[in-house]
């Protein structure tokens, strides 16, 4: 009887598998392996003595509130995974994706991911002492890189990066609905492009290279060519099912493509509701509600030039920390304008391209923003879920890394006064050359400055933030294999100078090989 029962179960599984297979029209397996070697130097931007790493078992700094005590990570300089002025290590990212076309107009995608530093014996300790996952407005966004968070550290664990079903012509022929964990990217990724995360069981010493960028979301697209209307809802984070202290994203985007000049235009509204900042006395102030409204467009006035621009404004409410006793409203803005020139691309053998871009984020005057009991309008820009970055080093300060001069504020929603995503102007000169069909050289020169002082006490530290030069080389060894070498130097400006008028240049060198199949 036992044998018959087993045989019956096997037959049933085979039957179900056969039926499932019959409904599957096409299956595609793809993936990639990306191995990086990383070297960093002077990431503290400090020419003086380098801060010592905290001792084993005393990684965090106790931050006491009237209702709780939380042990939070204490970054040392802007370095991560580094307990000395320079460090080097390897990391790898492995991804496997399965795409399946089922019945007509129904498809699915599942992508599995492993990303890890190579055989780091105590990666939990290293990451715990050097980096914050709170990122751009996180205030406890996850359980964070906190002491004891990595007891189950598993560098060979597998995470779910993508998992969604797509329904084309759903109920109505122009409508496509995508449900599940998926990538979201609108326009140039200035507002919504990446929900970057790092697995708590697989901490990375360079989290900006994390491949986990997807959103758990529902997206609906109406394609009325040349119009495209998109609506989206995403659950960013949830503490518990019964608690109303999570983070959600809603959005509407309307795009239009013009017949002439390769023109396109978009208008959008995105609403981020973040209720993570509690009040210690039980009287919860308004959370961080950010309504972002903007327009974007691009066109080619002549064949060799592309001009683009995007402007967005933010309204809503602001809660800086859990000691804030009153509601605050917010009003902020951001701008991204630029142009690309291809005049020499067809004239010279190396196909040169040039571009210039200016990015501006509004800031908050610290004299008008006492963090604990601040009042009045908050004018600092919220980075939302920006996916586009243009530098290797500077644009991650305040998100993952923190300068030694200004440090890490565990009690403030944005963590760092010198964060790169607000109170900043950025001018970018960029170009590329292609000496061979398989080789491409790139370069970016970034100039940064702030509008409001970083120091609320002295009102100094206002002016030039620094210069960053990033160079890159990519070699397509075959259609499947690419070698890359990227180097960056961030030369701090006057806002980072020590008492002797100096600051160290931060350096990064990243070599990688990527295999796609």
């Amino acid at each position: 009887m036992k044998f018959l029962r087993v045989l019956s179960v096997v037959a049933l599984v085979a039957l179900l598998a056969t039926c499932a297979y019959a409904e599957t029209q096409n299956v595609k397996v793809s993936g990639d392996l990306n191995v990086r070697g990383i070297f960093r130097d002077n990431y503290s931007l400090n020419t003086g003595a380098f801060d010592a790493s905290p001792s084993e078992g005393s990684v965090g700094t106790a931050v006491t509130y009237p209702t709780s005590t939380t042990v939070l990570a204490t970054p040392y300089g802007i370095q991560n995974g580094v307990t000395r002025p320079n460090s080097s290590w390897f990391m790898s990212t492995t991804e496997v994706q399965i795409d399946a076309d089922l019945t007509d107009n129904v498809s699915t995608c599942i992508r599995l991911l492993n990303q890890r530093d190579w055989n780091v014996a105590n990666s939990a300790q290293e990451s715990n002492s050097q980096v914050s996952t709170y990122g751009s407005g996180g205030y406890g966004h996850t359980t964070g890189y906190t002491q004891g968070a990595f007891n189950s550290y598993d560098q060979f664990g597998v995470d779910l990066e993508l998992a969604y079903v797509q329904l084309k012509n759903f109920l109505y022929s122009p409508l496509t609905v995508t449900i599940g964990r998926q990538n979201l990217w609108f326009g140039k990724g200035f507002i919504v492009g990446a929900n970057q995360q790092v697995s708590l069981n697989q901490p990375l010493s360079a989290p900006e290279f994390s491949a986990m960028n997807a959103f758990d979301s529902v997206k609906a697209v109406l394609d009325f060519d040349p119009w495209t209307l998109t609506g989206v809802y995403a659950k960013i984070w949830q503490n518990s099912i019964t608690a109303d202290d999570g983070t959600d994203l809603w959005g509407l985007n309307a795009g239009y493509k013009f017949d002439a000049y390769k023109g396109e235009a978009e208008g959008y509204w995105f609403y981020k509701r973040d209720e993570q900042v509690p009040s210690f006395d039980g009287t919860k102030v308004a959370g961080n509600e950010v309504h972002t409204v903007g327009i974007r467009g691009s066109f080619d006035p002549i064949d060799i030039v592309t001009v683009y621009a995007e402007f967005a404004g933010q309204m809503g409410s602001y809660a800086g920390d859990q000691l804030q006793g009153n509601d605050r409203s917010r009003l902020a803005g951001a701008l991204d304008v630029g142009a690309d020139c291809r005049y020499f691309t067809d004239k010279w053998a190396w196909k040169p391209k040039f571009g210039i871009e200016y990015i501006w984020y509004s800031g908050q005057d610290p004299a008008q923003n006492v963090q604990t009991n601040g009042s009045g309008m908050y004018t600092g820009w919220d980075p939302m879920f920006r996916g586009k970055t243009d530098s290797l080093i500077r644009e991650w300060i305040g998100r993952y890394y923190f300068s030694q001069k200004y440090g890490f504020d565990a009690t403030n929603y944005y963590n760092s006064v010198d964060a790169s995503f607000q109170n900043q102007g950025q001018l970018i000169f960029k170009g590329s050359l292609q000496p061979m069909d398989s080789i491409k050289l790139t370069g970016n020169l970034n100039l940064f400055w702030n509008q409001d002082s970083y120091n609320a006490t002295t009102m100094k530290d206002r002016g030039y933030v620094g210069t960053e030069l990033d160079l890159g080389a990519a070699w397509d060894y075959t259609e499947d294999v690419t070698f890359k070498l990227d180097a960056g130097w961030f030369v701090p400006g006057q806002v980072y100078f020590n008492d002797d008028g100096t600051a160290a240049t931060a350096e990064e060198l990243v070599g990688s090989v990527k295999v796609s199949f």
Side-chain angles (χ1 to χ4, degrees), residues 452-473:
D452 296 299
S453 172
Y454 290 155
N455 193 321
T457 303
T458 65
M459 293 307 295
K460 295 181 180 180
D461 301 329
R462 178 178 182 271
Y464 195 59
V465 174
T467 303
E468 180 165 340
L469 175 64
D470 299 313
L471 301 176

Side-chain angles (χ1 to χ4, degrees), residues 185 188-190 336 357 359 386-390 395 428:
W185 188 285
K188 292 172 63 68
F190 190 57
D336 182 3
E357 184 174 1
I359 301 173
R386 185 183 179 189
K388 174 182 177 290
T389 56
D390 298 283
E395 288 180 277
I428 309 166

